[in-house]
Amino acid sequence: MKIVVLGAGTAGLIAALMLREKYPLYPIAVVKSGEIGIVGVGEGSTEHWARFMDYIGLSIEDIIFNTRATVKIGILFKEWNKGEEYIHSIHQNPFSKHARMDLYHQLLNQNSGITKFPLSPIFEKIFYNNNVPMRPDFKVSNQYHFDTFRLNEYLLKKCTERNIGIIDTNVTDASVCTTTGNIIDLTTEVGPIKADFFIDCSGFKKVLANKLNNKWVSKTEYLPMNHAIAFPTDRDSNAEIEPYTTTTALSSGWAWKIPTQDRYGNGYVFSDRYINADQALSEISKSLNINVEKIARDIKFEAGKLDKFWCKNVVSVGLCSSFAEPLEAQSIGFTIVQMFALLEHLDTWQVYEPTVKNYNSLMNEVFDNVIDYLQLHYFVKRNDTKFWQDKPFKYTDFNMSTQAAFKHGINNLSMFTNNRFNIGPINWFQVMHGIGLLDIASILKKSKNTRYKNNFKEEIERWASSDIAESRNMSVISHKEFLNCVNKSYIKKYEN
């Protein structure tokens, strides 16, 4: 089977590399256009990135050296509840025998007064100070920050090394079979490019999806953000490097700050119902004390997805298929999820009729889970501007039905669909705790029914204290020095 991937952004190259790993003998080609730019200024990944690396055989040294990547241990949220900050980081101390503390222990650490970030006690002691654990295998996280353009160059090189054809041309149209409705070929400047199966990674243009009349389903009633002003800023080469993303709530949305080894990627995500692009530029410039007008790009988007992720002989992946918003860096993660699911389904495509329906059902469920989770972040108490007063969105059905239970610390997996790709309850609880939605008194009362009974609080203090004590004995190094060690290891291993 010949497979053509349309688009050579991050999604297209990930798709091609994963297909090559599964099908080493299939003819696979990527069609790219040098006239089309890349969306993104500094890019963050999720836990899925490590699985992608393992699957196609990429080393940590290779990634960090060639993409100027940094370690991402989580996301630090500032000002979402005015004057407060919290961390979403499910990282656990890999050297601790208590690394799998149950939910109650994690939630109730705050009652010991030991740590500012009770649901990730290791964060304050290590990562908040721009340090990381030092391990011989360099595996201190499953997530990274990338220089988007270097990442693209690196993945493109890997495609070439793995016998994936790269065709640089502009696509002007596509031919559709009048009998089957399938795409036959791409109309390009170098002639028609035929294939049996296509992956549409053409971004917001949705070239093949539009050709098949695959409709867009808006989700703006749940996530109203529709603009991102993105821009790079310099990073002091002598300064330490944060091993986390920072998001800061502003008047009509939030700003991101992503560190790479050489610079920061920044942006302001907002709703144009409350502020226009010029006002947003002014606000973010004032916030950072620099004028970003000449370097910023205004990227318009709409939360939503295609009616069918898989339609005829085309699977739409990445921004082409769906987009929620930049919060929590879900775009790359969802691309990887889409591709792993596709690899599980593709072999049965032509011999088992429910294949396409099953794939679409699975992806719809995963995307709805993302929408539910991202919306949760906006359930804050902040109300100092019109946007935060209005909180202009409708609750998703899932958030409407589960908030009361989650508020009281109920951690019942049956409330989530049994989908291994979904974001799970520990993520919900960490964000809810961070924005003050949990009823800690109720949870404490409920804890009296556990086997710890009257000494439950003391037990939590002992566990938390032990975990923190063990973290003090870990071999810790500054994030910056860690990256230097990785880069030196790469040079020694690969260039000598």
Side-chain angles (χ1 to χ4, degrees):
M1 180 164 63
K2 182 178 181 180
I3 302 175
V4 165
V5 179
L6 175 56
T10 303
L13 300 180
I14 286 174
L17 287 165
M18 292 180 69
L19 286 164
R20 171 55 74 224
E21 188 64 29
K22 175 74 182 288
Y23 304 111
L25 300 180
Y26 281 10
I28 299 172
V30 174
V31 177
K32 69 182 290 289
S33 171
E35 297 180 9
I36 299 176
I38 301 170
V39 176
V41 183
E43 199 154 18
S45 63
T46 57
E47 296 280 331
H48 306 89
W49 184 262
R51 189 181 173 201
F52 164 69
M53 286 177 60
D54 290 343
Y55 184 72
I56 71 166
L58 302 178
S59 73
I60 293 172
E61 295 107 308
D62 209 4
I63 283 286
I64 286 179
F65 181 85
N66 287 289
T67 72
R68 304 298 289 166
T70 60
V71 169
K72 176 188 173 185
I73 210 66
I75 303 175
L76 180 67
F77 289 82
K78 293 184 173 182
E79 300 296 328
W80 289 69
N81 270 353
K82 195 73 172 171
E84 300 176 5
E85 60 184 21
Y86 72 94
I87 185 72
H88 173 218
S89 172
I90 58 173
H91 181 276
Q92 297 287 356
N93 177 356
F95 302 100
S96 172
K97 63 185 178 182
H98 302 308
R100 293 295 178 184
M101 286 194 294
D102 64 50
L103 179 64
Y104 280 133
H105 281 103
Q106 295 190 35
L107 287 176
L108 298 174
N109 277 338
Q110 72 167 23
N111 294 281
S112 67
I114 290 174
T115 176
K116 180 178 180 179
F117 302 104
L119 300 197
S120 187
I122 210 72
F123 180 82
E124 182 175 15
K125 296 299 178 181
I126 298 177
F127 305 110
Y128 199 46
N129 297 312
N130 299 326
N131 296 321
V132 297
M134 187 58 182
R135 295 169 55 110
D137 61 1
F138 300 127
K139 187 165 182 150
V140 300
S141 179
N142 290 326
Q143 307 175 68
Y144 300 90
H145 302 115
F146 307 105
D147 179 311
T148 310
F149 301 97
R150 286 182 179 267
L151 176 64
N152 187 262
E153 292 172 1
Y154 170 75
L155 295 178
L156 199 59
K157 179 182 176 183
K158 290 299 175 184
C159 285
T160 301
E161 291 174 355
R162 299 181 185 198
N163 197 32
I164 296 170
I166 307 296
I167 305 171
D168 198 336
T169 186
N170 290 318
V171 175
T172 57
D173 202 354
S175 302
V176 179
C177 177
T178 56
T179 302
T180 64
N182 288 339
I183 296 290
I184 301 172
D185 59 42
L186 306 179
T187 306
T188 78
E189 295 172 340
V190 297
I193 299 175
K194 297 181 180 295
D196 304 297
F197 199 83
F198 294 87
I199 310 293
D200 190 356
C201 296
S202 58
F204 293 139
K205 291 181 181 295
K206 300 186 281 290
V207 173
L208 300 185
N210 288 338
K211 191 68 180 180
L212 295 175
N213 295 315
N214 197 351
K215 304 302 181 185
W216 184 255
V217 179
S218 177
K219 297 288 184 178
T220 55
E221 63 179 328
Y222 305 116
L223 289 176
M225 300 305 193
N226 58 8
H227 278 257
I229 291 177
F231 54 93
T233 55
D234 295 332
R235 190 185 65 76
D236 182 350
S237 60
N238 296 316
E240 294 298 330
I241 304 174
E242 306 95 315
Y244 52 86
T245 302
T246 301
T247 70
T248 305
L250 297 174
S251 73
S252 304
W254 57 274
W256 79 74
K257 182 181 180 183
I258 293 177
T260 68
Q261 293 181 46
D262 304 309
R263 65 181 187 177
Y264 286 106
N266 308 267
Y268 183 4
V269 179
F270 62 94
S271 167
D272 63 11
R273 288 172 54 190
Y274 293 86
I275 192 172
N276 61 39
D278 289 337
Q279 292 168 327
L281 274 170
S282 176
E283 182 180 1
I284 192 67
S285 294
K286 184 177 180 180
S287 173
L288 297 176
N289 197 30
I290 57 174
N291 187 349
V292 303
E293 183 176 352
K294 293 183 179 180
I295 56 175
R297 290 183 298 147
D298 181 14
I299 304 168
K300 297 180 181 180
F301 64 87
E302 178 185 16
K305 67 178 186 66
L306 289 173
D307 182 44
K308 299 172 183 176
F309 290 90
W310 188 338
C311 183
K312 299 298 182 178
N313 64 335
V314 175
V315 170
S316 298
V317 173
L319 298 179
C320 175
S321 72
S322 61
F323 190 66
E325 63 157 274
L327 189 62
E328 292 275 6
Q330 290 296 315
S331 185
I332 290 181
F334 191 67
T335 291
I336 295 169
V337 166
Q338 284 184 276
M339 287 308 302
F340 272 120
L342 177 61
L343 297 183
E344 294 175 3
H345 287 75
L346 189 53
D347 289 340
T348 64
W349 167 48
Q350 293 175 314
V351 295
Y352 181 57
E353 186 176 347
T355 294
V356 174
K357 180 181 178 181
N358 291 346
Y359 178 87
N360 284 332
S361 177
L362 178 66
M363 290 301 98
N364 282 330
E365 186 179 291
V366 176
F367 186 71
D368 285 346
N369 170 256
V370 170
I371 294 290
D372 294 332
Y373 180 60
L374 296 187
Q375 187 188 70
L376 174 70
H377 293 68
Y378 292 93
F379 299 169
V380 295
K381 299 172 183 175
R382 179 170 178 161
N383 63 355
D384 58 315
T385 66
K386 180 66 172 168
F387 172 82
W388 293 110
Q389 290 166 3
D390 290 353
K391 296 183 176 59
F393 52 80
K394 173 185 174 184
Y395 273 45
T396 66
D397 290 343
F398 179 85
N399 283 332
M400 181 68 76
S401 64
T402 58
Q403 283 300 294
F406 287 167
K407 181 177 180 179
H408 292 88
I410 295 173
N411 178 19
N412 190 333
L413 289 174
S414 68
M415 298 165 68
F416 289 76
T417 55
N418 186 24
N419 187 328
R420 68 190 183 284
F421 293 126
N422 278 351
I423 303 166
I426 187 60
N427 298 281
W428 252 262
F429 282 116
Q430 200 165 58
V431 172
M432 289 185 72
H433 183 277
I435 59 180
L437 290 184
L438 293 178
D439 187 339
I440 300 297
S442 172
I443 297 171
L444 276 169
K445 184 177 180 181
K446 191 183 286 88
S447 72
K448 294 180 180 179
N449 296 320
T450 71
R451 63 188 178 90
Y452 298 106
K453 296 183 179 177
N454 293 332
N455 68 338
F456 189 80
K457 182 174 182 292
E458 289 76 11
E459 183 72 5
I460 289 170
E461 290 179 354
R462 185 179 68 80
W463 276 50
S465 298
S466 176
D467 199 52
I468 295 302
E470 287 188 29
S471 73
R472 293 193 186 103
N473 297 323
M474 291 171 60
S475 176
V476 173
I477 190 173
S478 78
H479 184 204
K480 183 178 179 181
E481 186 56 33
F482 170 83
L483 296 170
N484 289 336
C485 290
V486 174
N487 289 333
K488 289 176 183 177
S489 175
Y490 174 88
I491 292 171
K492 183 178 180 179
K493 185 182 295 186
Y494 295 101
E495 295 195 350
N496 291 342

